[in-house]
Structures are given as structure tokens and as C-alpha cells.
Amino acid sequence: MTGTPPPPPPPPKKAEHYAATRDWPGYYAAVLGKPPRDTLLAALASFEREGPPGVAVDLACGEGRDTLELLRRGWFVWAIDPEPAAFKHLYARVPPEHDRRLQGVLEDFSADWPDSIDLLNCSFSLPFCPPRDFPAVWEHIVRSIRPGGRFAGQLFGDRDSWAALPDRSHQTRAEAERMLAAFDLEVFREDEKDGNDAGGFTKHWHVFHVVARKKQP
Ligand SMILES: C[S@@+](CC[C@H](N)C(=O)[O-])C[C@H]1O[C@@H](n2cnc3c(N)ncnc32)[C@H](O)[C@@H]1O
């Protein structure tokens, strides 16, 4: 007997589909095994020209793609995220010989971390900071980096689709530049493009990719 063939399975969702609704376990499953972020790699290349590895905070570390790279290169890492599923993926992949250099912290952006750190890495996460908390979080980030240390990560622009959501923190280019006034900019790349996936999900991306070195006082 010939019947109607079953419908094809829905196309796989892209990571941003999960991020749009803060479905972090879904997001981690979609990105698991991806390489470290380019902004982290650029910051590490600069540090490696200057001296030995230091202390990094990976703020909103997610499933750990950047934390794992920092550990692999000999850094001590404070990995911070409020989502337990992030640490499930991260801890399962930390080689035992790197374990003593990792401090996992299950907390949100209001977490404490040491002063005078060498690197504050925050990849693709700052827009998820509640707008009312954002000024204090950014002030903490800047204050905690030692002179000569770096911020690496992304700020999300005002023309990004998610800027319309009430719980997101986005900046104009002028605001982003003002926020980075205490730094020399090693990378400041504004990226704006439309993204679509086979499931019909569309997103306009407006992102500032940043690697910035804190000025001497
Ligand atoms: C898009 S993921 C990015 C993860 C990772 N940094 C990366 O580059 O793939 C955003 C991360 O922000 C975290 N996050 C969401 N809200 C947060 C908050 N209020 N405080 C700190 N982290 C938060 C999520 O748990 C998630 O791991």
C-alpha cells in the first residue's frame, strides 16, 4: 500500500534561535564543540607577545568554548554563568590537569571576581544583561581590569533585531566608543548583516567586536 510519505523533519535551528528566547540548554547543544571566539584569539595573540599567561574572567562563559582555550594556554580562569547547564558541558570537557586553574562561579553579571585581572572576556553575552544593571556591570568590568590588561568580546548595536526587546542592553556606536574611553582599541569592528535560516527565522545582526587594552592611568 502506498501512503503519503511522512513530512521531512524540521530543519535544525541555529544557535541564535535559542538565544532569542534565552533557551540556554538548547543554545549550548547547538554550539557544542565550536572553536573559541575570534576576539579571544586576537587578545591572546597580543598577550602572548607580552609575557606568560595570567588571570582571566570569562563572564557569561556559556558551555565553555573560550574558557577551554584559556585553560589550554595556561591561564587561570574565573568562568562565570548563571546557567547550570553551562557548567555541565564545561566541566565534562576540562582536562584533569587543567582543573586546578579553573574557578567556576554559578552567578549572573552581578558576580564578584578579583580585581586587577589581566583579561575580561565576555563573548556575545552583554546584551543579555538587564538594562537597569548594565551601567554598574560595565563599570565593574572596566574597574577590574589592570592597566595594560584587556577587554575582549562583543557589544550589540542599536540596529540589532534584539534591541527592540525590553530586557536587552544595546548601544549606539557613539555609546560603545564612550564606554571604551579608558582603553586603546586594538580591534573595533562594526558588523551589520541579515541572517536567515532554513526554518524561516530572520535576524538583523549589529555587533561591535572589541579587543581593547586598558590605558595606563
Ligand atoms: C549567547 S550565550 C554566549 C556564551 C559564550 N560566552 C559564547 O561565546 O558562546 C549567552 C550567555 O549569557 C548567559 N547569561 C544570560 N543572562 C545572563 C545574566 N543575567 N548574567 C550573566 N550571564 C547571563 C547565558 O547563560 C549564556 O551562557
Side-chain angles (χ1 to χ4, degrees):
M1 196 176 107
T2 58
T4 320
K13 290 181 188 173
K14 281 190 170 174
E16 55 265 32
H17 213 131
Y18 297 102
T21 56
R22 297 179 185 253
D23 173 359
W24 299 123
Y27 179 88
Y28 304 145
V31 300
L32 204 59
K34 296 244 181 187
R37 303 291 187 178
D38 289 346
T39 38
L40 173 68
L41 294 178
L44 289 179
S46 297
F47 278 115
E48 283 170 7
R49 284 191 290 273
E50 294 166 359
V55 176
V57 170
D58 189 8
L59 187 56
C61 61
E63 90 300 346
R65 64 204 290 177
D66 288 350
T67 292
L68 291 169
E69 182 66 8
L70 284 159
L71 291 171
R72 193 180 72 76
R73 297 200 195 197
W75 286 68
F76 189 98
V77 187
W78 289 68
I80 302 173
D81 201 287
E83 176 58 58
F87 291 100
K88 189 179 93 172
H89 290 299
L90 171 59
Y91 291 151
R93 293 182 297 152
V94 175
E97 65 274 23
H98 296 174
D99 196 52
R100 64 179 181 80
R101 284 187 281 105
L102 174 62
Q103 178 70 55
V105 181
L106 185 65
E107 275 197 58
D108 65 13
F109 286 116
S110 66
D112 260 341
W113 59 82
D115 284 336
S116 216
I117 54 171
D118 300 291
L119 171 65
L120 190 307
N121 184 66
C122 190
S123 296
F124 287 90
S125 296
L126 280 169
F128 302 104
C129 181
R132 69 175 179 282
D133 299 340
F134 191 88
V137 170
W138 183 253
E139 195 271 334
H140 185 195
I141 288 173
V142 174
R143 178 168 33 90
S144 66
I145 301 172
R146 67 164 171 84
R150 289 181 173 83
F151 169 81
Q154 283 70 30
L155 298 168
F156 273 49
D158 57 319
R159 295 189 294 279
D160 191 276
S161 307
W162 292 343
L165 302 175
D167 59 349
R168 303 294 170 97
S169 293
H170 289 245
Q171 290 77 37
T172 64
R173 185 184 174 107
E175 285 167 343
E177 286 171 346
R178 261 199 308 280
M179 283 166 53
L180 291 161
F183 296 85
D184 292 316
L185 301 184
E186 297 180 328
V187 174
F188 187 81
R189 201 177 73 249
E190 185 171 7
D191 201 7
E192 191 159 1
K193 63 185 179 203
D194 286 315
N196 298 296
D197 70 17
F201 176 86
T202 60
K203 162 148 176 47
H204 185 72
W205 292 95
H206 182 206
V207 180
F208 304 104
H209 301 273
V210 180
V211 179
R213 187 168 195 258
K214 194 164 173 190
K215 294 173 183 167
Q216 303 293 333

